[in-house]
Amino acid sequence: MNLPSLTRTQWLICFVAALGFAFDIYELLMLPLIVRPALLELADAPPGSPAFNFWVGLLFYAPAVFGGIFGLLGGWLTDKLGRRRVLVWSILLYGFSAFAAGFSTSPEMLLFFRCTTFIGVSVEFVAAIAWLAELFADQKQREAVLGWTQAFSSVGGILVTGAYYLAVTYGSSFPEIYGGHEAWRYTLISGLIPAIPLMIIRPFLPESPMWEKKRAEGALRRPSIGEIFQPRYFRTTVVTTILVACSYGAAFGAIQHVPRIVPGLVGDATRLLQEQTVSQVQAIQEVGGVAGRVLLAILVVMIVARGRLLRGFQIAGLIAFPLVFFYAATNNLVMLQVGMFVAGLVTVAQFSFWGNYLPRVYPTRLRGTGESFAANIGGRMLGTFAALLTTQLATIAPGGDEFVKLAFAAGVVGTAVYAIGFITSFWLPEPGEQLED
């Protein structure tokens, strides 16, 4: 398949978007890795206790709520102020917030900076997707660019896993923070990295040509959240919101709890060995995520029917999740590693799917608003509620210890959201080939 070659400016924009996608996930996947050791230091509660589980659930869900609210506002601002401006400031926000979180002295302080980090991530995703979609007129090229740049999200997952492993293994040689060398602090601080090249590149970034043209012609009407619920877009808005919520529910309700399940499979090993094993399992999961995004990038230009493409990943998830969480997670570390590769593949591929699908179902004036509603209300707020649901279910789930209880709760929630998503996907509208002007 012959696609038009990219210009230098288009390559630069793709680089910035890929960097943003990579560190979106880098910032989000810090929490599953650092939440247990961070709360062991900051919270006065033993692991597995109701108080400990409360803080875990709050740290997973409260930032998502704030991210959803401000992300929706960010989508509106993306349509009003332009894609580039909102994109740049959102990346700067989450970079500096992650840095500040590394110096937390209480669970409340950590929660605050995780909220501001999530706000930046939520806004950045919507701005970057709208920006990339409007840059490429050729439909196949647009699909390929959106697919391959989003593949860097999972690269971010691998990078944060590597950063955590390095911090765990070599943290004693890093400068002290509050008199200690805690790996979770160094991992959070590393979130500042994406802000550095962005400050250098920003002057060379152009605005979206479609958005700029509309503004210059005076044809850019004020975006309205209410308009995405008018009859023309109602079904699209409702169905995509539910389906994006299910995608996030699988990740936050099941996958992101695995780092707290893994210590139960390594027995009485030292804390260093436990955390190294956690990072290894996380790395395998993220490799699966990369495979999922690459597979999606290939399939999205080959399979025209979007509903059929989505259901393929959902069917695989319905098979994989019960096996992973009801058996492998509590019986065999190697089986869990294999299972998490598959779980990461089928779940993360869906995130790339939505990045390709959502820009095609709303016009220019509503593109950021429509995307942000599905991603932030559906994904960040409704979907991530699954994290809180899992932590609370874990306190009453059957099992002999905290690890078995958590695995059971994650399996129930993950399987349930996959079932809901599969059923709902039959109402997903098929988009047109060209972006709506």
Side-chain angles (χ1 to χ4, degrees):
M1 176 171 35
N2 294 321
L3 297 178
S5 59
L6 302 184
T7 66
R8 183 177 301 177
T9 299
Q10 288 173 330
W11 275 115
L12 181 63
I13 291 174
C14 288
F15 169 77
V16 172
L19 180 72
F21 289 143
F23 278 89
D24 278 1
I25 301 301
Y26 189 99
E27 306 289 3
L28 295 183
L29 291 185
M30 282 182 182
L31 187 61
L33 291 168
I34 65 93
V35 66
R36 190 173 190 271
L39 289 178
L40 285 174
E41 179 179 343
L42 300 178
D44 185 21
S49 66
F52 192 91
N53 284 342
F54 168 78
W55 270 112
V56 171
L58 196 62
L59 281 165
F60 271 106
Y61 186 56
V65 171
F66 281 93
I69 294 170
F70 285 92
L72 186 59
L73 175 62
W76 182 83
L77 290 174
T78 297
D79 287 333
K80 182 175 177 61
L81 302 178
R83 292 29 173 148
R84 181 191 66 173
R85 185 183 303 176
V86 175
L87 173 72
V88 170
W89 283 106
S90 62
I91 295 177
L92 291 175
L93 173 61
Y94 73 60
F96 284 102
S97 294
F99 178 83
F103 295 90
S104 298
T105 56
S106 67
E108 291 82 4
M109 183 176 176
L110 178 61
L111 177 62
F112 174 81
F113 284 114
R114 285 300 298 175
C115 287
T116 55
T117 299
F118 224 113
I119 289 170
V121 167
S122 300
V123 174
E124 188 277 338
F125 174 80
V126 172
I129 289 294
W131 198 32
L132 285 175
E134 294 172 355
L135 182 65
F136 299 95
D138 181 85
Q139 186 259 336
K140 293 293 185 183
Q141 187 183 54
R142 182 173 61 249
E143 297 278 12
V145 166
L146 283 169
W148 287 107
T149 53
Q150 287 182 92
F152 280 86
S153 293
S154 290
V155 173
I158 293 174
L159 289 175
V160 74
T161 303
Y164 183 68
Y165 183 88
L166 291 175
V168 167
T169 307
Y170 303 107
S172 59
S173 63
F174 297 166
E176 289 187 0
I177 300 177
Y178 300 134
H181 299 275
E182 293 296 328
W184 66 269
R185 293 188 183 275
Y186 302 126
T187 306
L188 282 166
I189 289 171
S190 68
L192 181 63
I193 294 172
I196 299 173
L198 190 62
M199 288 185 287
I200 300 172
I201 295 172
R202 184 187 182 279
F204 304 99
L205 299 176
E207 183 52 82
S208 158
M210 288 183 68
W211 184 88
E212 194 67 61
K213 180 174 179 289
K214 286 280 187 180
R215 187 183 69 165
E217 294 173 348
L220 197 66
R221 302 195 340 240
R222 182 183 295 274
S224 168
I225 294 176
E227 192 171 351
I228 66 176
F229 287 98
Q230 291 183 357
R232 182 179 179 185
Y233 302 111
F234 181 83
R235 175 182 164 188
T236 297
T237 299
V238 172
V239 171
T240 56
T241 298
I242 294 172
L243 286 171
V244 174
C246 289
S247 300
Y248 275 79
F252 280 80
I255 290 177
Q256 293 204 20
H257 293 282
V258 170
R260 294 194 296 124
I261 297 172
V262 170
L265 291 175
V266 295
D268 297 326
T270 64
R271 180 176 172 183
L272 173 62
L273 181 58
Q274 286 183 355
E275 293 184 357
Q276 287 176 332
T277 306
V278 165
S279 66
Q280 290 166 0
V281 174
Q282 182 87 353
I284 292 171
Q285 171 203 307
E286 290 308 316
V287 172
V290 172
R293 289 188 186 272
V294 170
L295 182 60
L296 191 283
I298 295 171
L299 293 178
V300 79
V301 295
M302 298 172 58
I303 299 176
V304 176
R306 293 296 169 237
R308 187 174 64 180
L309 176 60
L310 178 63
R311 281 191 291 277
F313 290 106
Q314 290 172 331
I315 292 171
L318 277 171
I319 297 171
F321 269 62
L323 295 174
V324 170
F325 290 96
F326 294 141
Y327 183 78
T330 56
N331 287 277
N332 188 282
L333 180 59
V334 175
M335 290 184 63
L336 177 62
Q337 291 171 333
V338 174
M340 290 313 298
F341 176 90
V342 176
L345 187 155
V346 299
T347 302
V348 173
Q350 293 179 56
F351 295 147
S352 283
F353 174 89
W354 295 118
N356 284 68
Y357 178 89
L358 289 170
R360 296 173 58 185
V361 292
Y362 293 103
T364 302
R365 71 181 186 280
L366 293 175
R367 189 159 292 124
T369 304
E371 289 174 23
S372 69
F373 192 91
N376 292 305
I377 301 302
R380 314 290 188 187
M381 295 183 67
L382 298 179
T384 56
F385 179 74
L388 187 61
L389 182 61
T390 298
T391 58
Q392 297 308 302
L393 181 60
T395 63
I396 60 173
D401 57 38
E402 61 172 296
F403 309 108
V404 176
K405 290 175 179 288
L406 181 57
F408 180 85
V412 169
V413 173
T415 303
V417 296
Y418 257 99
I420 294 170
F422 175 73
I423 295 169
T424 307
S425 69
F426 287 93
W427 283 272
L428 184 70
E430 288 295 331
E433 290 190 4
Q434 300 301 320
L435 291 185
E436 190 175 345
D437 193 29

